[in-house]
mmCIF file of all heavy atoms in Angstrom:
data_model
loop_
_atom_site.group_PDB
_atom_site.id
_atom_site.type_symbol
_atom_site.label_atom_id
_atom_site.label_comp_id
_atom_site.label_asym_id
_atom_site.label_seq_id
_atom_site.Cartn_x
_atom_site.Cartn_y
_atom_site.Cartn_z
ATOM 1 N N ILE A 751 -4.460 15.780 4.056
ATOM 2 C CA ILE A 751 -5.237 14.805 3.229
ATOM 3 C C ILE A 751 -4.331 13.582 3.267
ATOM 4 O O ILE A 751 -3.270 13.621 2.655
ATOM 5 C CB ILE A 751 -5.547 15.322 1.805
ATOM 6 C CG1 ILE A 751 -6.275 16.615 1.832
ATOM 7 C CG2 ILE A 751 -6.362 14.267 0.981
ATOM 8 C CD1 ILE A 751 -6.479 17.337 0.420
ATOM 9 N N LEU A 752 -4.738 12.492 3.687
ATOM 10 C CA LEU A 752 -4.092 11.172 3.630
ATOM 11 C C LEU A 752 -4.514 10.420 2.468
ATOM 12 O O LEU A 752 -5.820 10.255 2.245
ATOM 13 C CB LEU A 752 -4.327 10.309 4.866
ATOM 14 C CG LEU A 752 -3.623 9.019 4.924
ATOM 15 C CD1 LEU A 752 -2.099 9.125 4.840
ATOM 16 C CD2 LEU A 752 -4.115 8.241 6.316
ATOM 17 N N ILE A 753 -3.621 10.142 1.572
ATOM 18 C CA ILE A 753 -3.986 9.471 0.252
ATOM 19 C C ILE A 753 -3.365 8.077 0.311
ATOM 20 O O ILE A 753 -2.116 7.909 0.589
ATOM 21 C CB ILE A 753 -3.349 10.185 -0.941
ATOM 22 C CG1 ILE A 753 -4.062 11.649 -1.001
ATOM 23 C CG2 ILE A 753 -3.562 9.444 -2.180
ATOM 24 C CD1 ILE A 753 -3.468 12.499 -2.055
ATOM 25 N N GLU A 754 -4.132 7.053 0.022
ATOM 26 C CA GLU A 754 -3.690 5.660 -0.045
ATOM 27 C C GLU A 754 -4.224 4.987 -1.321
ATOM 28 O O GLU A 754 -5.444 4.978 -1.571
ATOM 29 C CB GLU A 754 -4.139 4.924 1.211
ATOM 30 C CG GLU A 754 -3.676 5.423 2.509
ATOM 31 C CD GLU A 754 -4.099 4.635 3.758
ATOM 32 O OE1 GLU A 754 -5.172 4.928 4.275
ATOM 33 O OE2 GLU A 754 -3.321 3.735 4.131
ATOM 34 N N ASP A 755 -3.337 4.472 -2.032
ATOM 35 C CA ASP A 755 -3.678 3.723 -3.277
ATOM 36 C C ASP A 755 -4.604 4.533 -4.222
ATOM 37 O O ASP A 755 -5.631 3.982 -4.725
ATOM 38 C CB ASP A 755 -4.153 2.363 -2.966
ATOM 39 C CG ASP A 755 -3.213 1.551 -2.292
ATOM 40 O OD1 ASP A 755 -1.955 1.693 -2.669
ATOM 41 O OD2 ASP A 755 -3.442 0.572 -1.503
ATOM 42 N N GLY A 756 -4.257 5.762 -4.361
ATOM 43 C CA GLY A 756 -5.093 6.532 -5.349
ATOM 44 C C GLY A 756 -6.459 7.134 -4.865
ATOM 45 O O GLY A 756 -7.100 7.829 -5.420
ATOM 46 N N LEU A 757 -6.781 6.802 -3.469
ATOM 47 C CA LEU A 757 -7.984 7.306 -2.884
ATOM 48 C C LEU A 757 -7.701 8.160 -1.810
ATOM 49 O O LEU A 757 -6.637 8.106 -1.079
ATOM 50 C CB LEU A 757 -8.858 6.281 -2.451
ATOM 51 C CG LEU A 757 -9.400 5.222 -3.543
ATOM 52 C CD1 LEU A 757 -10.142 4.063 -2.952
ATOM 53 C CD2 LEU A 757 -10.095 6.002 -4.603
ATOM 54 N N VAL A 758 -8.615 9.101 -1.427
ATOM 55 C CA VAL A 758 -8.519 9.802 -0.196
ATOM 56 C C VAL A 758 -8.857 8.867 1.087
ATOM 57 O O VAL A 758 -9.919 8.204 1.078
ATOM 58 C CB VAL A 758 -9.498 11.102 -0.098
ATOM 59 C CG1 VAL A 758 -9.451 11.764 1.264
ATOM 60 C CG2 VAL A 758 -9.079 12.051 -1.203
ATOM 61 N N SER A 759 -7.974 8.892 2.107
ATOM 62 C CA SER A 759 -8.322 7.977 3.137
ATOM 63 C C SER A 759 -8.708 8.734 4.411
ATOM 64 O O SER A 759 -9.505 8.253 5.097
ATOM 65 C CB SER A 759 -6.964 7.271 3.561
ATOM 66 O OG SER A 759 -7.130 6.391 4.649
ATOM 67 N N ALA A 760 -8.245 10.008 4.509
ATOM 68 C CA ALA A 760 -8.632 10.915 5.616
ATOM 69 C C ALA A 760 -8.451 12.262 5.209
ATOM 70 O O ALA A 760 -7.592 12.561 4.502
ATOM 71 C CB ALA A 760 -7.923 10.556 6.864
ATOM 72 N N VAL A 761 -9.263 13.196 5.758
ATOM 73 C CA VAL A 761 -9.081 14.573 5.554
ATOM 74 C C VAL A 761 -9.518 15.393 6.801
ATOM 75 O O VAL A 761 -10.440 15.012 7.461
ATOM 76 C CB VAL A 761 -9.914 15.068 4.377
ATOM 77 C CG1 VAL A 761 -11.379 14.944 4.425
ATOM 78 C CG2 VAL A 761 -9.661 16.630 3.879
ATOM 79 N N GLY A 762 -8.880 16.443 7.114
ATOM 80 C CA GLY A 762 -9.238 17.276 8.306
ATOM 81 C C GLY A 762 -7.982 18.192 8.605
ATOM 82 O O GLY A 762 -7.171 18.478 7.766
ATOM 83 N N GLY A 763 -7.969 18.490 9.940
ATOM 84 C CA GLY A 763 -6.773 19.305 10.377
ATOM 85 C C GLY A 763 -5.594 18.428 10.230
ATOM 86 O O GLY A 763 -5.586 17.166 10.400
ATOM 87 N N PHE A 764 -4.445 19.084 9.870
ATOM 88 C CA PHE A 764 -3.215 18.332 9.555
ATOM 89 C C PHE A 764 -2.798 17.462 10.733
ATOM 90 O O PHE A 764 -2.435 16.194 10.574
ATOM 91 C CB PHE A 764 -2.041 19.320 9.195
ATOM 92 C CG PHE A 764 -0.723 18.484 8.854
ATOM 93 C CD1 PHE A 764 -0.607 17.804 7.779
ATOM 94 C CD2 PHE A 764 0.301 18.519 9.898
ATOM 95 C CE1 PHE A 764 0.550 17.056 7.517
ATOM 96 C CE2 PHE A 764 1.452 17.838 9.602
ATOM 97 C CZ PHE A 764 1.613 17.124 8.440
ATOM 98 N N ALA A 765 -2.781 17.969 11.983
ATOM 99 C CA ALA A 765 -2.286 17.208 13.100
ATOM 100 C C ALA A 765 -3.202 15.913 13.344
ATOM 101 O O ALA A 765 -2.636 14.873 13.567
ATOM 102 C CB ALA A 765 -2.284 18.037 14.303
ATOM 103 N N ASP A 766 -4.460 16.098 13.166
ATOM 104 C CA ASP A 766 -5.367 14.954 13.311
ATOM 105 C C ASP A 766 -5.097 13.894 12.287
ATOM 106 O O ASP A 766 -5.175 12.676 12.490
ATOM 107 C CB ASP A 766 -6.835 15.400 13.285
ATOM 108 C CG ASP A 766 -7.223 16.227 14.485
ATOM 109 O OD1 ASP A 766 -6.561 16.220 15.460
ATOM 110 O OD2 ASP A 766 -8.177 16.984 14.393
ATOM 111 N N VAL A 767 -5.034 14.320 10.996
ATOM 112 C CA VAL A 767 -4.879 13.409 9.990
ATOM 113 C C VAL A 767 -3.386 12.751 10.104
ATOM 114 O O VAL A 767 -3.290 11.496 9.842
ATOM 115 C CB VAL A 767 -4.965 14.077 8.538
ATOM 116 C CG1 VAL A 767 -4.586 13.125 7.369
ATOM 117 C CG2 VAL A 767 -6.319 14.650 8.368
ATOM 118 N N LYS A 768 -2.450 13.494 10.388
ATOM 119 C CA LYS A 768 -1.085 12.781 10.528
ATOM 120 C C LYS A 768 -1.120 11.786 11.712
ATOM 121 O O LYS A 768 -0.371 10.811 11.511
ATOM 122 C CB LYS A 768 -0.177 14.037 10.972
ATOM 123 C CG LYS A 768 1.348 13.531 11.050
ATOM 124 C CD LYS A 768 2.366 14.698 11.207
ATOM 125 C CE LYS A 768 3.800 14.168 11.418
ATOM 126 N NZ LYS A 768 4.273 13.270 10.240
ATOM 127 N N ALA A 769 -1.886 12.023 12.723
ATOM 128 C CA ALA A 769 -1.906 11.043 13.752
ATOM 129 C C ALA A 769 -2.505 9.655 13.319
ATOM 130 O O ALA A 769 -2.243 8.636 13.921
ATOM 131 C CB ALA A 769 -2.812 11.536 14.875
#
Side-chain angles (χ1 to χ4, degrees):
I751 304 169
L752 179 60
I753 297 172
E754 297 182 273
D755 293 334
L757 300 175
V758 174
S759 179
V761 62
F764 178 73
D766 292 339
V767 175
K768 185 174 174 59

